[in-house]
Amino acid sequence: MDMDTNRLLTELQARHDFPAGQFPQFLALFDPLYIQKNQIVFLAGDIVSYAYFIVKGCLRQYYVNAEGVENTIYFAEEGGWTGEMSSFIHRVPTTMNLQALEDSQALVLTRTNWELATRTFPDYALYQIKNRARNITRLKEQIGHAQTDTPDQKYRRLLTEKPHLLQRLAQYQIANYLGVTPETYSRIRKRNTPL
């Protein structure tokens, strides 16, 4: 593989003490995936075939409402996981979409290899448990903020928590994530930019 696979080991060890000596056997369960900018990885209605670890690039996960309007809910960047676990594990159609916003590289696990990794590498199973608990907490917080925060508050939160996204992504992508039009986003930025 010509990817920086050490990023995966770094992530595993940041959340749980994954033994470096086991990493080569663990890594052998993954396949490399190269995703072109704007490529759709999966669509609502698909059964998700992989768990994706992002080595390089940025992807967005989004819904499309009944009126055909896209609603971005998550940006997956380097060192993060994405996919749709319910569809992946239970083999049911997803309601989400995944698209690359940049040329991206991922390490992917099939469901069979994900199960094998979980059974064969107890430290990976513990990593999964710890990571899942952290993600559930984070998602609950995001849902709460989405329900209660104004667009200005959402922008300031993004500015505080992930300021690099404001440089990395197009303005219309940030606007979509905030749930506003690009014009409204422009006004929000002006109101919240220090003089």
Side-chain angles (χ1 to χ4, degrees):
M1 284 184 212
D2 60 340
M3 288 186 188
D4 180 12
T5 57
N6 285 327
R7 192 178 290 274
L8 176 58
L9 179 59
T10 300
E11 166 59 18
L12 294 170
Q13 290 182 331
R15 309 274 177 231
H16 180 72
D17 189 23
F18 191 92
Q22 293 180 7
F23 187 67
Q25 301 102 311
F26 177 72
L27 184 61
L29 297 174
F30 288 80
D31 293 313
L33 180 66
Y34 298 88
I35 311 163
Q36 293 181 347
K37 181 178 180 177
N38 297 322
Q39 180 179 336
I40 301 294
V41 179
F42 58 77
L43 290 169
D46 292 347
I47 295 176
V48 177
S49 301
Y50 301 104
Y52 302 83
F53 178 79
I54 308 306
V55 174
K56 182 180 179 187
C58 184
L59 295 89
R60 74 176 179 125
Q61 208 155 3
Y62 65 99
Y63 288 98
V64 179
N65 69 20
E67 292 80 36
V69 177
E70 296 178 359
N71 298 291
T72 301
I73 59 163
Y74 176 68
F75 294 110
E77 299 178 273
E78 292 89 355
W81 293 88
T82 194
E84 209 284 280
M85 289 304 284
S86 182
S87 175
F88 175 70
I89 292 172
H90 302 292
R91 298 184 189 246
V92 296
T94 182
T95 56
M96 289 187 266
N97 307 277
L98 183 65
Q99 178 186 28
L101 299 177
E102 303 171 350
D103 287 340
S104 300
Q105 300 174 1
L107 291 168
V108 297
L109 276 174
T110 63
R111 183 173 181 256
T112 300
N113 281 358
W114 179 80
E115 289 178 355
L116 182 61
T118 304
R119 284 194 310 271
T120 308
F121 298 94
D123 287 297
Y124 176 64
L126 287 170
Y127 163 84
Q128 285 286 331
I129 292 166
K130 289 177 179 181
N131 202 40
R132 183 80 32 90
R134 185 177 68 87
N135 286 339
I136 288 170
T137 299
R138 183 179 50 82
L139 289 172
K140 285 179 181 178
E141 289 172 359
Q142 284 182 327
I143 290 168
H145 292 304
Q147 296 293 320
T148 60
D149 288 358
T150 67
D152 284 82
Q153 290 170 317
K154 291 177 188 177
Y155 173 77
R156 287 192 298 270
R157 185 175 310 286
L158 188 61
L159 193 59
T160 301
E161 295 175 1
K162 295 190 175 216
H164 63 281
L165 283 178
L166 301 174
Q167 304 302 317
R168 185 173 201 172
L169 301 174
Q171 290 189 16
Y172 74 90
Q173 293 165 337
I174 300 291
N176 183 270
Y177 178 71
L178 296 176
V180 298
T181 65
E183 296 77 20
T184 300
Y185 173 61
S186 181
R187 289 190 296 275
I188 290 169
R189 278 183 42 221
K190 287 178 184 170
R191 282 195 301 266
N192 290 281
T193 302
L195 296 175

